[in-house]
Amino acid sequence: MQEFWNEKFQTKNLIYGEAPNNFIKENIELLLQAKNVMCLGEGEGRNAIYLADKGLVVEALDASDVALLKLRRRAKESYVFIKTRHTLLEYWKPEQLYDAVICTYLHLPKQNQKMLFEKSIEALNPNGYFIAELFSESQVHFESGGPKNIALLYDLNDILDIVKSLPCKIHKLAQEVVVLSEGDKHVGRASVIRIILQKLAQDHSPIVP
């Protein structure tokens, strides 16, 4: 996994561009309520730098040390500080709780997808938000980027089954067709799943709209 992503990021270009993901930008008001944010699978840092520039305390995790080196260089050029964690998600052990956890296009095999949601909710403070945009299984029919292996894509019903067992409120869980313009790798119409979950206090049951 690390070798694959290191090879992908081994270029001077920012393969997903400089601008943050649109879904993250659309929900910036929620994120501005947070004091600290964890960005999972953050790559070259387009979301992390955007949030740090807004005054948030930001941490970024990625499997690629090449991507994180580019992130740190960009953060320095932008006069912001971002703490980085070089590890796979399965080895991630949060050192603290966060007010928000975000991820965009974190390609995980089916057997690890449940772990993404469990670890993200576990890492949140009560009332904290998990915000994510992921490629759906229908993305195999589009040419805008992402894996062509359906085992690395997400199913809406599978996600619903996972989050129903977690202590969270579902604010958004929807499969949508959007137009991507993110560097050279994400361009054109795409099928994505957009997610906003809010962690509840421990004495609450999951809330499904």
Side-chain angles (χ1 to χ4, degrees):
M1 181 66 71
Q2 179 177 343
E3 291 179 2
F4 172 84
W5 286 107
N6 275 349
E7 183 177 351
K8 202 174 186 72
F9 286 116
Q10 196 69 258
T11 170
K12 292 182 179 180
N13 296 331
L14 298 173
I15 63 176
Y16 300 113
E18 292 187 18
N21 171 265
N22 280 337
F23 189 55
I24 298 302
K25 284 183 67 177
E26 289 171 8
N27 289 284
I28 188 59
E29 293 304 319
L30 284 181
L31 291 167
L32 288 177
Q33 300 174 27
K35 294 180 181 178
N36 57 353
V37 181
M38 165 58 82
C39 304
L40 300 176
E42 179 54 19
E44 299 160 313
R46 61 199 178 104
N47 297 318
I49 290 171
Y50 170 72
L51 295 173
D53 192 53
K54 297 290 186 181
L56 303 179
V57 176
V58 181
E59 191 171 342
L61 178 151
D62 202 272
S64 170
D65 55 334
V66 172
L68 291 176
L69 178 60
K70 293 169 79 172
L71 184 158
R72 288 192 293 270
R73 287 173 177 167
R74 291 189 60 216
K76 185 176 181 180
E77 292 169 356
S78 300
Y79 300 100
V80 297
F81 173 75
I82 296 168
K83 181 178 179 181
T84 57
R85 298 279 297 275
H86 175 222
T87 186
L88 294 170
L89 181 68
E90 50 261 47
Y91 301 131
W92 173 44
K93 295 182 179 179
E95 298 174 351
Q96 63 181 90
L97 294 179
Y98 303 90
D99 295 322
V101 174
I102 70 166
C103 73
T104 55
Y105 308 115
L106 183 54
H107 312 318
L108 294 173
K110 293 292 186 185
Q111 65 268 24
N112 288 345
Q113 292 177 7
K114 183 178 181 181
M115 175 182 63
L116 167 63
F117 294 92
E118 291 176 337
K119 284 198 168 189
S120 296
I121 296 299
E122 183 181 357
L124 286 171
N125 282 310
N127 299 313
Y129 286 94
F130 174 62
I131 301 177
E133 182 169 278
L134 308 167
F135 281 127
S136 81
E137 291 182 354
S138 297
Q139 180 63 11
V140 296
H141 304 298
F142 293 82
E143 300 299 327
S144 52
K148 289 303 181 185
N149 182 354
I150 202 165
L152 295 172
L153 300 171
Y154 294 79
D155 177 80
L156 185 68
N157 290 324
D158 289 347
I159 294 175
L160 180 59
D161 287 341
I162 292 168
V163 301
K164 282 194 299 186
S165 66
L166 299 177
C168 63
K169 178 178 180 180
I170 302 174
H171 288 279
K172 184 180 183 71
L173 179 54
Q175 184 169 323
E176 302 176 6
V177 174
V178 300
V179 178
L180 300 179
S181 180
E182 301 180 336
D184 297 328
K185 298 297 184 182
H186 290 169
V187 181
R189 284 163 50 85
S191 178
V192 303
I193 298 175
R194 290 178 156 181
I195 303 155
I196 302 176
L197 308 176
Q198 186 176 21
K199 185 173 182 177
L200 302 175
Q202 292 301 313
D203 58 347
H204 284 79
S205 300
I207 298 176
V208 180

